[in-house]
Amino acid sequence: MKRLVCGALLLLLFGTLAAGQREKKRVMPTLIVNAQYVYVTTYEGSAPLPQVSVENLRAIAIVENAIKSWGRYRVTQRAANADIIILVNEGRPYASSGGGSFEDELAIYDARDGLNSSPLWRGLMVDGLEGNAPLVQQFRTEVEEAARQLPQPKGA
């Protein structure tokens, strides 16, 4: 009888753990869902300076346009005015070493902490900052899903 009960408990425990792993989703921080202002930049900065590649300047423009079209956030030209910072990086090999990533990067940071902190959200994708910016579309889908799961204010 003891073996039967122990076996049933183990089966229940492993079944619960397996189900929990299947349902594991990325958690979208509330800061991202509730943010109003975003600043888009690269590791090198956002102004047309010699250290900012043409590809990254183009990626900034693509992402800013996609964010504006979405309408959830307002783009600001100063990090100090932003709630979150969107970092873009056009994937390309590094000329000096022949290495590097071909995946484009879109990372979201808390503007209060800046880029010297861990990203709140990060996506990598080949050609993710081309055309209709599939990385922005992925980010948008996850933000909108998280917004639907937030408790709604009473009377709304």
Side-chain angles (χ1 to χ4, degrees):
M1 182 69 169
K2 260 186 172 179
R3 283 187 180 177
L4 183 60
V5 171
C6 286
L9 287 174
L10 282 175
L11 191 60
L12 181 64
L13 175 66
F14 287 122
T16 304
L17 289 174
Q21 286 193 358
R22 270 185 272 135
E23 296 173 14
K24 192 174 189 179
K25 287 185 176 182
R26 182 180 350 202
V27 176
M28 183 65 62
T30 306
L31 172 65
I32 293 175
V33 176
N34 293 333
Q36 293 181 351
Y37 293 94
V38 301
Y39 173 68
V40 184
T41 189
T42 70
Y43 288 114
E44 299 88 21
S46 61
L49 301 169
Q51 69 266 25
V52 183
S53 71
V54 172
E55 294 86 1
N56 275 339
L57 289 174
R58 189 174 54 80
I60 288 172
I62 288 170
V63 170
E64 284 181 346
N65 288 333
I67 293 294
K68 288 174 185 175
S69 294
W70 176 11
R72 182 177 193 93
Y73 304 115
R74 292 186 207 128
V75 176
T76 180
Q77 298 305 309
R78 296 188 61 225
N81 296 336
D83 300 311
I84 57 176
I85 296 172
I86 299 177
L87 179 122
V88 299
N89 188 40
E90 180 82 24
R92 63 190 184 286
Y94 302 114
S96 61
S97 65
S101 172
F102 288 100
E103 292 181 308
D104 294 341
E105 175 183 13
L106 184 83
I108 312 300
Y109 292 84
D110 183 334
R112 295 171 298 188
D113 299 331
L115 300 179
N116 293 327
S117 60
S118 297
L120 303 171
W121 185 94
R122 184 172 182 242
L124 298 169
M125 182 185 297
V126 173
D127 295 331
L129 299 174
E130 301 292 326
N132 68 347
L135 273 172
V136 175
Q137 301 308 317
Q138 176 186 346
F139 174 64
R140 176 180 180 166
T141 299
E142 291 184 33
V143 168
E144 290 175 350
E145 176 63 28
R148 281 191 291 276
Q149 293 176 8
L150 284 178
Q152 298 300 316
K154 294 186 186 218

